[in-house]
């Protein structure tokens, strides 16, 4: 370890260290706290500002999935440990999936707190864990403080050129706009399980890097080395949170051990133990998931509908943008040398994610969770070994001052985009994030008179929030979690437009809502003539068959 003394400030500035110094953790806490405050600033502003006629529904980014998380938390608060889809009218057998939100619901019930509050507090905690894990990974790789901080900042702030190309091309599926699990900061805006998964992946790869760095005994498992137990624990947690993440990382770990064997002609017992610890504990859950989506009819339909396709290759490259450009020399060096100092596992992991992304699966983009970690690793290697030696020392500070803001433009854009309609005084253009306040009052009335076995008919815009706010099912509410979603969506629109048919009887609809969102579908809704109005608040009326 080397230190330099600054006579003007009378302080020691550590330049290199094996351990993470307290001053480093203070730096991480300050930066992480700042990032979390920035991430929550639009949400808090929207919640506190309010409008006379519009209700902020509680989730700013990706409100459709956010509404399903709150609905699952509500199930947990009512004592359930099996997920059932509340955005579909059919009753069905539940499954042990997305258990995190059920657990948060149990916690909300124990603390007597609203589920929406617990959801956002959990997001804060998950973000802090993610930022700490990312810095820990950087410290596991580098002893130099500058390298650790470069890695952390690129991993957290890195994003692509979507902000520039999306308006020019009218293409909206650039990864930095549509695949938040790739980007740590972006993932912190979405939910709880994205940042927790990234944190666990960072901790997993740190174990492999420290265990196989030059000079380590990589061939034999040591009796006192219990890191395999941590690998097994992290594997099970990831399988519960985001099972797709284990596929590319598991493939990379297996290829890493095989490459070690081919290059040294000795099979590493430690490597086999670690790969086994990564795969075997999660195997029962993988088999359970496969059985569930195959033989549980509701989850089979959900799995078929749950499409997250990969973007075209050029869109992916553009979506990784400046971090990828900076990382290219580091990636090329890793391909040429294939070193076991961290580059090998990172390169194999990156390649495995890209292969899984374009493999014939229905959830292609979900295999790329944490993709910015290897990109940030290679970008840091390239900055230290290739770019900075070519940049005059006098302008390096200016280079960094320009580099990181450019990397983060898409993140800033996505952070503030959902609140722009309110800023310009048009909350009606953000239906879903906002609903007319009469819907919230109606949901409160329904909450005291319905349960999860009752079915409501309402517009898609209102139905997305009714399971979370009123604890009841809806005919159509979500493109993935409504069974046969397209058919039900069309039947809902047709009913309001006068095709009465047998929809109410088919799904045993208890109440029908008619308000501003339904008037957008039909100005008169002739099928309401055969129903009786039983409750009215403002512009929203509740009918019963």
């Amino acid at each position: 370890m080397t230190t330099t003394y600054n006579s003007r400030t009378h302080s020691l500035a550590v330049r290199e260290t094996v351990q993470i110094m307290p001053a480093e953790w203070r730096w991480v806490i300050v930066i992480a706290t700042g990032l979390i405050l920035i991430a929550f600033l639009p949400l808090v502003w929207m919640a506190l500002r309010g409008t006379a006629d519009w209700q902020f529904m509680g989730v700013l980014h990706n409100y459709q999935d956010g509404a399903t998380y709150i609905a699952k938390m509500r199930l947990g608060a009512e004592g359930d440990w099996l997920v059932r889809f509340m955005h579909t009218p059919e009753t069905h057998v539940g499954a042990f999936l997305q258990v995190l939100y059920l657990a948060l619901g149990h916690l909300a019930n124990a603390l007597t707190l609203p589920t929406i509050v617990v959801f956002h507090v959990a997001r804060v905690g998950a973000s802090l864990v993610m930022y700490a894990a990312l810095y820990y990974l950087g410290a596991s790789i580098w002893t130099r403080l500058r390298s650790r901080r470069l890695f952390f900042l690129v991993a957290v702030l890195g994003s692509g050129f979507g902000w520039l190309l999306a308006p020019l091309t009218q293409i909206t599926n650039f990864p930095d706009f549509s695949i938040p699990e790739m980007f740590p900061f972006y993932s912190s805006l979405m939910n709880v399980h994205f940042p927790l998964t990234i944190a666990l992946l960072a901790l997993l790869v740190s174990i492999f890097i420290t265990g196989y760095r030059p000079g380590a005994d990589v061939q034999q498992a040591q009796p006192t080395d219990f890191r395999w137990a941590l690998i097994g624990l992290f594997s099970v947690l990831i399988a519960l949170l985001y099972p797709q993440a284990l596929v590319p990382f598991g493939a990379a770990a297996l290829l890493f051990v095989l490459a070690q064997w081919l290059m040294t002609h000795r099979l590493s017992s430690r490597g086999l133990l670690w790969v086994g610890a990564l795969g075997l504990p999660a195997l029962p859950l993988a088999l359970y998931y496969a059985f569930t989506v195959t033989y549980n009819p509701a989850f089979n339909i959900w799995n078929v509908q749950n499409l997250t396709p990969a973007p075209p290759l050029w869109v992916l490259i553009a979506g990784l943008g400046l971090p990828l450009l900076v990382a290219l020399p580091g990636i090329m060096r890793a391909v040429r040398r294939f070193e076991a100092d961290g580059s090998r596992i990172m390169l194999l992991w990156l390649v495995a994610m890209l292969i899984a992304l374009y493999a014939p699966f229905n959830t292609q983009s979900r295999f790329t969770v944490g993709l910015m970690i290897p990109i940030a690793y290679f970008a840091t290697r390239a900055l230290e070994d290739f770019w900075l030696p070519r940049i005059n020392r006098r302008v390096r500070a200016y280079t960094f001052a320009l580099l990181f803001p450019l990397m983060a433009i898409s993140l800033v854009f996505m952070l503030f985009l959902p609140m722009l309609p309110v800023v310009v005084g048009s909350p009606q253009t953000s239906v879903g994030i906002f609903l007319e306040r009469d819907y919230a009052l109606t949901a409160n009335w329904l909450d005291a008179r319905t349960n999860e076995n009752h079915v409501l008919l309402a517009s898609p815009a209102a139905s997305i929030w009714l399971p979370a706010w009123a604890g009841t099912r809806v005919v159509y509410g979500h493109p993935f979690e409504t069974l046969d979603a397209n058919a039900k969506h069309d039947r809902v629109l047709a009913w309001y437009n006068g095709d009465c048919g047998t929809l109410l009887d088919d799904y045993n609809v208890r109440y029908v809502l008619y308000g501003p969102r339904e008037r957008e579908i039909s100005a008169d809704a002739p099928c309401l003539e055969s129903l009786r109005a039983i409750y009215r608040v403002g512009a929203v009326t509740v009918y019963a068959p």
Side-chain angles (χ1 to χ4, degrees), residues 232-455:
L233 174 62
F234 295 157
S235 172
V236 170
L237 292 175
I238 292 174
L240 291 171
L241 290 170
Y242 202 122
Q244 294 91 340
L246 285 176
V247 175
F249 191 84
L254 180 59
L255 290 173
F256 183 87
V257 173
L258 292 177
Q260 193 77 16
W261 174 47
L262 292 174
M263 298 177 73
T264 64
H265 305 289
R266 297 174 63 191
L267 192 59
S268 168
S269 62
R270 172 195 284 177
L272 293 176
L273 177 62
W274 286 11
V275 171
L278 184 63
L280 292 178
L283 183 59
L285 282 170
L287 294 175
Y288 172 76
Y289 295 154
F291 181 87
T292 298
V293 300
T294 302
Y295 296 105
N296 185 319
F299 286 85
N300 177 265
I301 296 172
W302 165 74
N303 185 56
V304 171
Q305 293 180 161
N306 193 5
L307 301 176
T308 53
L313 183 59
W314 77 269
V315 173
L316 173 70
I317 293 172
L320 294 173
L322 195 54
L324 179 60
L325 291 178
V326 173
L328 282 177
I331 295 174
M332 295 170 61
R333 181 181 184 273
V335 171
R336 290 195 309 269
R337 301 189 181 185
F338 205 53
E339 298 167 314
D341 62 350
S343 296
R344 186 181 302 169
I345 186 67
M346 287 290 192
L347 180 64
L348 292 172
W349 188 23
L350 177 61
V351 171
M353 280 193 279
L354 294 177
I355 292 174
L357 176 63
Y358 291 101
F361 301 114
N362 64 323
T363 56
Q364 291 171 314
S365 67
R366 299 193 187 280
F367 293 104
T368 59
V369 58
L371 182 66
M372 190 52 60
I373 293 176
I375 295 294
Y377 169 82
F378 289 118
T380 305
R381 292 293 297 263
L383 282 168
E384 292 286 14
D385 301 334
F386 182 85
W387 296 110
L388 289 181
R390 290 165 169 78
I391 299 175
N392 189 294
R393 289 181 178 272
R394 290 178 294 181
V395 298
R396 285 183 182 177
Y398 300 103
T399 301
F400 289 138
L402 180 64
L403 177 66
F404 291 115
L406 284 176
M407 283 187 179
I409 291 178
S410 283
L411 300 180
V412 175
F413 189 86
M414 296 309 294
L415 172 65
F416 292 107
L417 180 63
M419 63 183 292
L420 290 181
V422 178
V423 173
V424 300
S426 301
Q428 66 275 11
T429 61
S430 285
V431 171
I433 297 174
F434 284 92
L435 279 178
E436 287 85 353
R437 193 172 297 278
D438 295 336
Y439 281 103
L441 298 174
T442 302
N444 292 334
W445 181 85
L446 290 168
D447 190 18
R449 294 163 176 82
T450 58
N451 58 50
E452 64 179 72
N453 295 316
H454 295 149
V455 178

Side-chain angles (χ1 to χ4, degrees), residues 37-90:
L37 289 175
I38 291 172
F40 276 81
L41 180 63
L43 178 74
V44 174
W45 184 83
M46 296 277 270
L48 294 180
R49 185 177 185 273
T51 65
D53 301 320
W54 294 87
Q55 173 71 47
F56 175 53
M57 302 307 292
V59 176
L60 185 58
H61 296 87
N62 192 15
Y63 74 89
Q64 285 188 314
D65 286 350
T68 69
Y69 303 145
I70 306 303
K72 293 177 178 68
M73 289 178 64
R74 181 164 182 138
L75 287 176
E78 294 172 356
D80 287 310
W81 280 108
L82 297 178
V83 160
R84 295 186 303 280
F85 301 130
M86 298 298 294
H87 288 81
T88 196
E90 298 89 350

